[in-house]
Amino acid sequence: MWDSVDDVVRAQVAIDHRLGKNLIGAFHPPVRVVVDVSTLRTLPVRERWNGLAEVVKTALVLDRELFEELETALPILGGGQADDDGWAGVVGRTAALKARLVSEDELERGPRMLLNFGHTVGHALEAVTGHGPLNHGEAVMLGMRAAVAVSARL
């Protein structure tokens, strides 16, 4: 499963506990990250969209230009028609954005908290549904929609 395009640079290594997601772990940044983007075309459509949810989240909070480019690129990426260069561009940019934040705020006490956008409600949805019907990306997307709705009301 391709859970997230940016998990490779998160510096948080954790496991889930019955009481919640990522509750047991530590912070340890990777020394090197190698990604074979050609494998992404082999994933089922739902799994490609699962990982792309984090691309959208990262673009929304960190890179307006990338977000605007995704308006055209997402159907091609999600549908599996993107070539390796297209995937490498999106994965590379997203990972670089996250790597910058992680290096500035390794323990998630400042700007890195932006990357939690959609995750509070998303993790709750995953937990309440038994970590089955919704994959992580779908739950985060619903969480982002909830956060935007609350923000608009406030």
Side-chain angles (χ1 to χ4, degrees):
M1 178 174 80
W2 180 40
D3 189 30
S4 168
V5 70
D6 57 0
D7 267 354
V8 294
V9 292
R10 73 188 289 189
Q12 180 184 6
V13 290
I15 59 172
D16 298 342
H17 183 274
R18 64 179 175 79
L19 297 177
K21 192 171 177 83
N22 296 332
L23 289 182
I24 303 166
F27 289 90
H28 184 73
V31 175
R32 179 173 292 121
V33 174
V34 178
V35 178
D36 181 358
V37 295
S38 66
T39 62
L40 299 176
R41 282 194 308 274
T42 69
L43 292 172
V45 173
R46 187 174 180 206
E47 288 304 320
R48 273 195 302 275
W49 284 106
N50 179 40
L52 285 167
E54 295 282 352
V55 172
V56 170
K57 175 216 59 186
T58 302
L60 273 169
V61 299
L62 295 176
D63 190 335
R64 180 181 182 161
E65 184 179 305
L66 176 58
F67 181 72
E68 290 170 355
E69 290 172 21
L70 287 174
E71 289 184 281
T72 322
L74 275 178
I76 297 164
L77 294 162
Q81 292 89 31
D83 60 15
D84 287 354
D85 288 339
W87 277 110
V90 168
V91 170
R93 281 175 72 182
T94 305
L97 288 164
K98 185 160 186 182
R100 180 179 50 94
L101 268 189
V102 168
S103 67
E104 294 171 4
D105 183 16
E106 189 174 288
L107 299 179
E108 207 171 314
R109 294 187 176 137
R112 182 174 166 188
M113 289 189 291
L114 287 170
L115 298 173
N116 292 329
F117 177 49
H119 282 71
T120 302
V121 170
H123 287 168
L125 288 170
E126 287 175 290
V128 78
T129 60
H131 297 278
L134 294 172
N135 64 35
H136 181 69
E138 292 163 344
V140 168
M141 276 295 186
L142 291 170
M144 288 190 294
R145 290 182 70 174
V148 168
V150 169
S151 178
R153 287 194 60 134
L154 293 175

